[in-house]
Amino acid sequence: MPCDKIAWLERVEAKNFSCNSYHGLPEAPAFSITPGELPVIVSAPHAVTQLRDGRVKPSDDFTGAIALALAHESGCHAIVACRFDACDPNWDPLERSAYKRALVAHVRERGIRACIDLHGMVSAWPALVAIGTADGATVAARPELRDLAARIFRDRLDPYVKRYGKQIVVDGDLAARNPNTVTQTVARECGIPCLQIELSTLLRVPRSVGGIPRGEKAPPKRFLDHELKARSHPDPDAVLAAVDALAELVRSCT
Ligand SMILES: [Zn+2]
């Protein structure tokens, strides 16, 4: 049931990611892997707050819960960041990223054939979804996946493209062109196709901003005006449509 799925996402988000102002629980591991049977892995490296070049960066809210929902529903594997550990898996080089080393090892050990790396864009970005393949480099093993992903999101999210006037963008400004991104690293190290998928706040956050717990060990998460505005009118149907589109993409990658 759709309502139940939103409640499930909110429960998982609160329990694992948004606690302590999106720094995660102090006693949690920095990241966790949920093994699956379907040979695809969904990654959410920014599910909690991260540190990039000495600067604290806010979490990509609900990407962790969505990754776990996809694992739960489709049987794919998932890797999610669970606790702030002063790293950024989508920025740090492989030798300084325990997250990426564990991901690469898991892909090799389990014969995983594709990786989908989930991220979040704030609502100020003009895109509804930004698909990044480093201009095709990260899907060199299966180039057709780039067009396939674009078709799935355009078909399933057409009502929201029209409602919000934002597009499905392929290899635009957010295209995973840094060699240390999760997708470039896994594509290079494992030779499998990898897609970076950036979702607008409108497709990830199904509740208003007031639901984020304040942290005892971390400062409260702050939002700019445009982001507060987007979060004050959440669209749960858009979130459900985005999860369904991702589920179709996961199945299509096998
Ligand atoms: Zn991100």
Side-chain angles (χ1 to χ4, degrees):
M1 293 289 288
C3 289
D4 290 344
K5 195 186 281 190
I6 292 295
W8 190 94
L9 288 171
E10 290 184 339
R11 264 200 318 276
V12 170
E13 184 76 354
K15 181 170 172 237
N16 299 282
F17 308 109
S18 67
C19 38
N20 197 27
S21 284
Y22 269 102
H23 285 59
L25 293 170
E27 65 272 22
F31 59 87
S32 73
I33 294 179
T34 302
E37 298 303 323
L38 201 73
V40 176
I41 190 160
V42 178
S43 156
H46 292 165
V48 294
T49 306
Q50 67 266 196
L51 191 76
R52 178 177 293 189
D53 289 340
R55 193 168 63 87
V56 174
K57 287 187 72 244
S59 50
D60 296 349
D61 300 359
F62 280 88
T63 54
I66 291 171
L68 294 180
L70 292 167
H72 184 69
E73 287 181 9
S74 74
C76 70
H77 303 247
I79 179 169
V80 295
C82 311
R83 174 178 51 77
F84 176 77
D85 67 344
C87 296
D88 181 348
N90 210 36
W91 186 259
D92 300 331
L94 184 59
E95 59 272 19
R96 289 214 313 267
S97 176
Y99 181 104
K100 278 189 293 207
R101 289 199 304 276
L103 172 55
V104 165
H106 191 76
V107 166
R108 288 174 176 156
E109 283 165 17
R110 301 297 294 262
I112 288 168
R113 296 204 290 266
C115 174
I116 296 169
D117 193 41
L118 277 186
H119 291 267
M121 296 175 283
V122 292
S123 55
W125 280 93
L128 196 62
V129 177
I131 300 165
T133 70
D135 305 306
T138 66
V139 288
R142 282 186 67 189
E144 75 280 9
L145 284 183
R146 182 166 65 166
D147 287 347
L148 182 70
R151 183 188 58 71
I152 289 170
F153 285 113
R154 285 180 181 136
D155 285 353
R156 287 187 173 263
L157 301 179
D158 183 58
Y160 308 101
V161 166
K162 293 189 172 95
R163 182 177 301 173
Y164 296 111
K166 293 173 178 282
Q167 302 301 313
I168 311 299
V169 174
V170 180
D171 284 329
D173 290 338
L174 301 173
R177 294 190 180 94
N178 184 305
N180 288 333
T181 55
V182 167
T183 50
Q184 284 219 32
T185 302
V186 174
R188 186 172 60 242
E189 297 291 325
C190 304
I192 63 169
C194 302
L195 292 156
Q196 180 176 286
I197 306 293
E198 298 257 8
L199 300 174
S200 169
T201 300
L202 300 158
L203 299 182
R204 290 179 286 118
V205 181
R207 66 172 179 204
S208 63
V209 69
I212 295 177
R214 296 297 173 99
E216 294 174 5
K217 296 180 183 297
K221 184 165 179 172
R222 300 196 184 285
F223 301 99
L224 298 174
D225 285 349
H226 63 81
E227 190 65 6
L228 274 175
K229 195 172 158 206
R231 288 170 186 249
S232 67
H233 299 288
D235 188 343
D237 287 342
V239 175
L240 292 174
V243 174
D244 286 348
L246 285 164
E248 184 180 346
L249 179 59
V250 165
R251 290 193 300 272
S252 301
C253 284
T254 56

